[in-house]
Every structure is written in C-alpha cells, then in structure tokens.
Amino acid sequence: MAAVALVTSTAGRAAADVDVASAAVDLYARMTARDLACALRYIPAAGVTEIGPSAPSVHLLKPAAFEALFKRMR
C-alpha cells in the first residue's frame, strides 16, 4: 500500500526530486507515532489504490479510512 500511495502522491514530480525509500520510511514512522497529520501528507485527497495479494480485488483507500484507523489506535 505504501508504494502505491507514494507513487500516487509523487506523480508529476521529477524522479530526482523523489526519494521513495525515505518517504516510505517516513510514512511508516508517522503511522507508528500515530501522527495522522504527517501521515496524510502522503495520501492524496482522491485516495490510493490498495492491492493485496490475498484480496479478491483492488479497493480505494481515502484519507477518511486512515483517520478512522488512527481513531481506533488511540
């Protein structure tokens, strides 16, 4: 999911301007720290497509899904 989110959120930027590995590390660090505001900067308003190996189909995760997750983590 993170890779899809990062590709989506960095679309349109020059490849040299995007350090995907650092962004992925930061995204998971923000999620671990329960820092919703910083984690959401990687999630575009239109959401991200999640593709799971065991899921029967792809689905769209919008920022509200992340907000709900963070509320349950409290």
Side-chain angles (χ1 to χ4, degrees):
M1 178 183 75
V4 175
L6 294 172
V7 169
T8 303
S9 68
T10 58
R13 294 185 193 173
D17 294 340
V18 178
D19 181 353
V20 176
S22 293
V25 169
D26 189 50
L27 171 62
Y28 283 106
R30 299 296 133 220
M31 291 178 73
T32 300
R34 298 183 178 154
D35 186 345
L36 178 62
C38 286
L40 285 177
R41 69 181 175 194
Y42 295 105
I43 311 301
V48 295
T49 302
E50 181 180 50
I51 303 168
S54 62
S57 65
V58 300
H59 62 280
L60 182 66
L61 294 174
K62 296 196 173 192
F66 289 87
E67 292 168 357
L69 173 67
F70 276 71
K71 283 182 185 175
R72 286 194 304 262
M73 291 170 46
R74 289 184 193 167

